[in-house]
Each structure stands twice: as C-alpha cells, then as structure tokens.
Amino acid sequence: MQSITLQTPDDWHLHFRDGDMLKETVPATARCFKRAIVMPNLVPPVTDADMANAYAQRILDARPQGSDFTPLMTLYLTNQTTPDTIVKAKQAGVVASKLYPAGATTNSDAAVKGIEALYPVFEEMQKQGMLLLIHGEVTESHVDIFDREKAFIDAHLRKIVDAFPALKVVFEHITTSDAADFVLDASENVAATITPQHLLLNRNDLLVGGVRPHNYCLPVLKRNTHQQALRRVVASGSSKFFLGTDSAPHEKHRKESACGCAGCYSAWSAIELYAQVFEDLDALDKFEGFASHHGPDFYGLPRNEGTITLVRESWSIPDSIVLPNGNPIVPFFAGQTINWKLQTS
C-alpha cells in the first residue's frame, strides 16, 4: 500500500497552552485535524463559560489563514464548580468538563479534592448531556505511580459510572490493560482515548539506558504487557477507543531539568505515527474508524466532510522546533524516521 486516505480526523484530547505558544501548536494540529478537544489546564484554569469562550477566540485567532479548524472547549472542574456553572457552559457551547485529581498532571493544583463532592455537578452534566473527561489516576503518595490508574478505577471510576449511567464518560489517555478491560466491559456510555506514545512505547523507553525526559508523560508509560493490551484493542476496531494525542508541549529546558515537565509534543507527527502503529499491527483497515469515526460518534457530533491522504514516504521528525519566543521544543520521536507522511498538495 502506497497511500492511505481517511475521512478527515479529529484529535479528541490535546493541550494547546496559551499566549505565543498558540502560534506553534494550533497550526501544527490544524494541518490534519478538523476539530480538537482542548484541555483547560491553563494558569488560571478555564473554569467557566466566559473563560472558555475567550480561550476559544485566542485559538481561532492563531489558526493559519484559510483554516476552518474548530476547537471544542472544555471546563476544568474544581471544588467550586456548581451545577449552574455547567448549565451556563452548556448553553455557551462547551462540550465537556475535565476531572483532574489534584496534583495528577501539569497545572492541576487547583483540581478536585474529594471526588464525591462533585456528584451534584455530575448529575447536572448527565442532565445537560455534557461529557465527563477523566484523567484517571489517584495521587496519594503511598500508591506506586505504575499502579495509580488501576487504583483510580477501583476507588472512583466504577462508582461514578454506576451512579450516573446516562453520563457519557471518556477515560482519557489510558495506559493499562486494566483500563482497556474496564472500558470494554462498561456500558456504551464509556469510551477511551489512546495516545501515540502509549501505543509506541513502554517504560523501558523511558528508563533503560538513562532517563529520557522527552518520553516522560503522565500517566507514565507502563510495562510492555500493558502496551500490547492497548495495541490489541485498537487493532480490534472496537468503537469504544479513539484518537486522542494528549499532545503537550513544553520548552526543552523545562523538560531537561531536575524536575522535568510531563508531556509529549506529538502534534507535528501524530497522524503519521498512528498510521505506523496500525500498519505494524496489520490493521490499517481499522485506522479510519479510530481516527475519524469513533470519536464524533461517541460525542454525538457529525463526522467530518473531506479527506486527508498519507503517502508512503520516509522522513525524519525534526530534532527540535523553535517556538515564537525563540526557545526550542523537542517533538515526540525527535530525530526518528517514520514511513508515512501527510500529503499537503
């Protein structure tokens, strides 16, 4: 096969950041994705409809000329979020709210402490038809970092799904066989996103031969057996799993530091890397569903019109990209050669 044509895909989980960073991240995503679910963990976080609308406008202002890329906005849940916050956000076009346990990832210090306290908010989300997006990890220091996803399922996620059966829940960037099995066994109102890094790498790629900071993300890469479980579910074609890059840019000096930031910036190569995964799995016939169909179907949105085409062409991902402020950022899979490239003309 020398080319792959897909109905235009979407990215159902990413981080654009803010300010000058948008001049890099928005065009990188808009090159191949028509829509994206935009994470709200800015400083300060996006916690109400007015903030979501203002952030959306900044993203739209950063689009390349002629682009029709559309950001899909989310709210950041805190212990101050109320049911009325959800009603107003839904009326303003916000499609989902994001649950971060406090301390789970970048800029999550303002996040939820005591998840049960948000049950009235979940009830309103269920009523309004607003999706709940979950970073599914516990953050208690005594729980091993490699076990935190499973612990979250057992302590919180099962209870949420049971208590709110009509609430659509996306278990984001899953990393374990436990998470994959939970989603498969759950109702049709539970789905999951999977990142390129969790399909391509395991914890050996983070730790063997020295720590590799540009492969450090949260949830952290897990052992090979979990990686293989994720690869099996995407190869199966199950509609419960869809594309969400979790593309998360950080300047090089912030990654390569004594307390390096978590996140892989995959936007400039994500669709090509996913294509490589599906080819390696002999499952290219399942690629379009994962990239272009399952996400909008779950969100209750129309599938995109138009197509993109990937051609078989070897190319190397750049070692670094210079941001508008002049600082470098190291993209995911920097310096490595991949076999598919987005056709741009």
Side-chain angles (χ1 to χ4, degrees):
M1 183 178 292
Q2 297 303 308
S3 67
I4 306 166
T5 297
L6 306 173
Q7 196 163 359
T8 305
D10 304 296
D11 187 344
W12 296 97
H13 180 124
L14 60 67
H15 301 263
F16 277 139
R17 309 304 187 203
D18 208 353
D20 283 348
M21 184 79 83
L22 295 176
K23 298 174 184 176
E24 158 61 29
T25 56
V26 175
T29 291
R31 72 189 184 98
C32 62
F33 296 116
K34 174 66 171 64
R35 298 170 293 199
I37 289 285
V38 180
M39 291 297 103
N41 57 329
L42 306 182
V43 180
V46 178
T47 56
D48 62 36
D50 289 342
M51 296 178 77
N53 286 338
Y55 186 29
Q57 188 58 56
R58 296 195 296 274
I59 294 167
L60 292 172
D61 291 343
R63 292 184 303 182
Q65 186 173 3
S67 171
D68 61 353
F69 172 79
T70 302
L72 302 175
M73 305 311 294
T74 64
L75 286 193
Y76 183 111
L77 295 174
T78 74
N79 288 106
Q80 285 69 53
T81 305
T82 67
D84 188 57
T85 308
I86 299 302
V87 172
K88 291 177 179 177
K90 179 67 175 181
Q91 292 171 346
V94 172
V95 300
S97 291
K98 180 64 180 279
L99 174 62
Y100 288 108
T105 190
T106 303
N107 299 336
S108 64
D109 292 342
V112 173
K113 301 177 179 69
I115 291 173
E116 289 78 5
L118 279 183
Y119 274 28
V121 173
F122 297 160
E123 179 64 41
E124 189 62 42
M125 291 174 63
Q126 180 174 248
K127 180 179 177 182
Q128 294 293 326
M130 180 181 286
L131 280 77
L132 174 62
L133 316 182
I134 295 181
H135 181 121
E137 292 187 287
V138 300
T139 55
E140 289 87 350
S141 59
H142 68 277
V143 180
D144 189 285
I145 192 170
F146 294 106
D147 297 331
R148 290 181 178 185
E149 188 170 88
K150 183 180 186 304
F152 185 90
I153 294 169
D154 295 338
H156 302 293
L157 189 52
R158 292 186 192 280
K159 294 177 183 177
I160 293 170
V161 169
D162 289 345
F164 305 100
L167 178 64
K168 282 194 170 183
V169 176
V170 181
F171 195 174
E172 296 199 303
H173 46 48
I174 64 169
T175 66
T176 61
S177 59
D178 308 278
D181 290 342
F182 175 83
V183 172
L184 286 169
D185 292 340
S187 79
E188 63 182 9
N189 285 332
V190 179
T193 56
I194 305 181
T195 74
Q197 60 264 28
H198 292 107
L199 291 168
L200 286 162
L201 306 179
N202 58 63
R203 64 188 187 183
N204 283 354
D205 299 291
L206 175 64
L207 299 171
V208 171
V211 176
R212 303 177 192 181
H214 298 288
N215 289 344
Y216 173 52
C217 57
L218 288 172
V220 71
L221 297 170
K222 303 301 194 296
R223 65 171 67 242
N224 176 65
T225 52
H226 293 297
Q227 177 195 7
Q228 295 307 316
L230 301 184
R231 289 166 71 92
R232 283 194 298 273
V233 295
V234 300
S236 76
S238 169
S239 62
K240 282 175 159 278
F241 304 93
F242 42 87
L243 186 157
T245 63
D246 195 20
S247 182
H250 293 283
E251 295 175 358
K252 181 180 180 181
H253 72 278
R254 297 187 183 278
K255 292 286 289 180
E256 298 177 3
S257 68
C259 187
C261 296
C264 299
Y265 182 51
S266 59
W268 274 118
S269 58
I271 197 68
E272 293 92 340
L273 289 169
Y274 280 119
Q276 187 160 311
V277 169
F278 278 82
E279 181 178 42
D280 291 346
L281 294 171
D282 194 24
L284 281 172
D285 60 317
K286 305 299 195 302
F287 185 28
E288 186 175 44
F290 178 82
S292 308
H293 297 163
H294 302 164
D297 292 353
F298 187 78
Y299 271 76
L301 296 172
R303 296 178 182 181
N304 293 322
E305 298 180 0
T307 61
I308 65 167
T309 297
L310 299 163
V311 295
R312 186 178 295 282
E313 179 182 335
S314 295
W315 64 289
S316 295
I317 297 172
D319 290 325
S320 66
I321 296 165
V322 178
L323 295 171
N325 65 7
N327 290 334
I329 185 170
V330 177
F332 181 60
F333 252 47
Q336 299 195 50
T337 299
I338 54 177
N339 299 325
W340 293 98
K341 190 169 187 179
L342 182 69
Q343 188 175 66
T344 56
S345 59

